[in-house]
């Protein structure tokens, strides 16, 4: 038997459905507002080759961290789980792959999985103006960071490479009002993220105003002062700045550097940027970045220029890059296997964020 529904009844159903739309939308918005647990992260890979030096078995690279492998290479998979409540929350940040391994270079010290923990901390919003963070967190110094999605240039600076990567301890962030902020921290020695193991402690401090930050760190006789900031010169042009000086007590050496990051947005989907950096070591500072000849502990300096394009395709970022490094000593080799003070290289990186 065919069922017949009257027009009056159909209209009533339609009215009830339309009337309930705002209620359902409000309920959905309220449910979304209560959602405080989320996953995010990045995946990146790249191709890198030298223009003025050998590749393959004899490949060399700039003395800065990350993005230094030959040919088609892997970056890392970064997976972040975070819970954000009204008062408390946590972040568990895990990294897998070569970039992650280099970032957590001092681990594992104890745990077999310590080399995949990039950050692991809890926090408490004591008030609207004070937040306490306890655990392992990335450093507050410097313009560049470990995550490739948060940097404009894919390769990193010498300033970033010589500075600390991560800390474990307790820090307090203060909102002082009128765009002023401050931070105080007590931590393990620099980059000892799983445990202390030395009996020494580091102290850190930060003073910020409207996106400009003056940072201080003292760890095991080493003192670093760092300025990190940036300025919107125009709607399409941004200038980032990083400058730092580090000195070690008892003639342990020092380094000083400054880097400028001009970036011009040519469209909604493409920005071109330059990193110009001058970096110098002195007083027998260990040349871990390759400035100077192998085993040389004399003063050394490097001037590096990196030109990077950044194109976005949805959640994918494509970065072609050319880099020129010039050192005061013959820190590199050319295609004839002769010592030289310069290196030209190119890379192409792809970064997906989710």
């Amino acid at each position: 038997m065919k069922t017949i529904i009257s027009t009056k009844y159909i209209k009533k159903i339609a009215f009830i459905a339309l009337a309930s739309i705002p209620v359902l939308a409000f309920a959905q918005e309220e449910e979304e507002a209560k959602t405080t647990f989320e996953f995010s992260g990045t995946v990146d890979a790249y191709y890198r080759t030298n223009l003025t030096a050998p590749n393959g078995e004899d490949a060399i690279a700039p003395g800065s961290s990350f993005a230094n492998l030959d040919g088609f290479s892997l970056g890392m998979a970064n997976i972040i789980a975070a819970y954000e409540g009204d008062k408390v929350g946590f972040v568990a940040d895990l990294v897998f792959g070569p970039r992650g391994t280099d970032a957590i270079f001092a681990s594992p010290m104890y745990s077999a999985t310590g080399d995949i923990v990039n950050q692991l901390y809890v926090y408490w919003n004591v008030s609207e103006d004070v937040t306490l963070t306890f655990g392992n967190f990335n450093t507050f110094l410097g313009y560049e960071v470990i995550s490739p999605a948060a940097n404009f240039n894919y390769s990193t600076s010498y300033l970033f490479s010589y500075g600390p990567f991560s800390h474990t301890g307790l820090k307090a962030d203060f909102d002082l009002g009128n765009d002023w902020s401050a931070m105080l921290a007590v931590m393990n020695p620099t980059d000892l993220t799983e445990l202390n193991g030395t009996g020494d402690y580091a102290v850190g401090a930060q003073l910020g105003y409207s996106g400009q930050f003056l940072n201080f760190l003292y760890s095991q006789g080493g003192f670093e002062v760092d300025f990190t900031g940036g300025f919107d010169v125009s709607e399409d042009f941004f200038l980032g700045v990083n400058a730092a000086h580090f000195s070690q007590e008892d003639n342990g050496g020092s380094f000083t550097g400054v880097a400028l990051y001009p970036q011009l947005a040519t469209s909604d989907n493409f920005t071109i940027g330059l990193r110009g950096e001058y970096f110098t070591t002195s007083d027998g500072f260990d040349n871990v970045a390759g400035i100077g000849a192998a085993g040389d502990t004399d003063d050394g300096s490097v001037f590096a220029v990196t030109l990077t394009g950044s194109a976005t395709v949805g959640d994918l970022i494509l970065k072609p890059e050319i880099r020129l490094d010039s050192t005061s000593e013959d820190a590199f080799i050319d295609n004839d296997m002769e010592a030289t003070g310069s290196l030209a290289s190119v890379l192409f990186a792809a970064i997906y964020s989710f």
Side-chain angles (χ1 to χ4, degrees):
M1 177 183 296
K2 184 176 180 180
T3 302
I4 299 176
I5 303 177
S6 69
T7 304
K8 181 179 179 181
Y9 186 67
I10 294 175
K11 289 182 178 179
K12 183 176 181 181
I13 293 176
F15 174 79
I16 293 173
L18 290 172
S20 66
I21 288 176
V23 177
L24 292 173
F26 177 78
Q28 185 177 6
E29 290 175 2
E30 186 178 20
E31 184 178 352
E32 289 177 354
K34 290 180 179 179
T35 301
T36 54
F37 186 80
E38 64 176 28
F39 282 100
S40 62
T42 62
V43 173
D44 66 291
Y46 65 98
Y47 173 82
R48 182 190 170 278
T49 188
N50 293 320
L51 299 178
T52 61
N55 294 293
E57 185 177 352
D58 298 316
I60 61 173
S64 55
S65 300
F66 309 154
N68 286 336
L69 302 180
D70 183 43
F72 292 102
S73 306
L74 300 180
M76 69 180 185
N78 184 198
I79 301 173
I80 304 172
Y83 174 83
E84 182 178 356
D86 291 336
K87 285 289 186 178
V88 298
F90 74 83
V91 170
D93 179 349
L94 306 180
V95 288
F96 306 86
R99 189 182 183 105
T101 299
D102 291 345
I104 316 299
F105 63 91
S107 295
M109 298 172 61
Y110 177 80
S111 168
T113 57
D115 56 349
I116 67 171
V117 178
N118 181 37
Q119 299 185 97
L120 188 65
Y121 62 83
V122 296
Y123 63 87
W124 173 26
N125 296 320
V126 182
S127 68
E128 291 184 357
D129 302 325
V130 180
T131 298
L132 298 179
T133 302
F134 187 83
N136 171 18
F137 42 85
N138 290 159
T139 188
F140 52 93
L141 284 81
Y143 183 88
E144 300 179 19
V145 296
I146 292 172
S147 170
N151 290 334
F152 184 82
N153 307 101
Y154 187 74
S155 68
T156 58
S157 67
Y158 288 88
L159 274 169
F160 170 81
S161 304
Y162 270 67
F165 286 175
S166 298
H167 311 280
T168 293
L170 173 65
K171 68 171 182 172
D173 290 281
F174 305 92
D175 184 349
L176 304 180
N178 298 318
D179 291 330
W180 285 92
S181 65
M183 187 277 296
L184 296 173
V186 178
M187 305 161 291
N188 289 343
T190 297
D191 291 312
L192 299 186
T193 56
E194 287 184 275
L195 52 90
N196 189 303
T198 68
D200 300 321
Y201 289 91
V203 292
Q206 180 185 84
L207 181 65
Y209 175 72
S210 189
Q212 318 306 313
F213 300 95
L214 187 61
N215 304 300
F216 305 90
L217 177 66
Y218 180 83
S219 178
Q220 294 184 300
F223 178 77
E224 183 171 355
V225 57
D226 167 274
F227 171 77
T228 300
F231 308 90
D232 290 313
V233 180
S234 69
E235 185 177 348
D236 299 323
F237 184 69
F238 174 79
L239 178 63
V241 182
N242 187 203
H245 174 75
F246 171 88
S247 61
Q248 185 76 32
E249 296 174 352
D250 302 325
N251 297 320
S254 64
F255 69 75
T256 303
V258 61
L260 298 178
Y261 300 80
Q263 298 161 16
L264 176 66
T266 61
S267 70
D268 292 339
N269 300 319
F270 186 79
T271 301
I272 188 167
L274 184 74
R275 177 181 60 215
E277 178 186 22
Y278 178 77
F279 186 85
T280 180
T281 62
S282 60
D283 300 328
F285 192 88
D286 181 19
N287 287 307
V288 294
I291 302 174
D296 185 8
T297 56
D298 294 334
D299 298 355
S301 64
V302 59
F303 178 69
V305 177
T306 306
L307 181 66
T308 305
S310 181
T312 58
V313 183
D315 293 324
L316 181 67
I317 308 174
L318 304 176
K319 289 184 180 289
E321 185 170 287
I322 182 168
R323 175 168 174 159
L324 306 174
D325 291 67
S326 179
T327 57
S328 58
E329 304 292 335
D330 291 340
F332 307 112
I333 57 174
D334 60 23
N335 285 311
D336 296 322
M337 303 300 289
E338 298 291 333
T340 182
S342 62
L343 174 67
S345 56
V346 296
L347 66 78
F348 179 83
I351 308 161
Y352 187 85
S353 300
F354 59 91

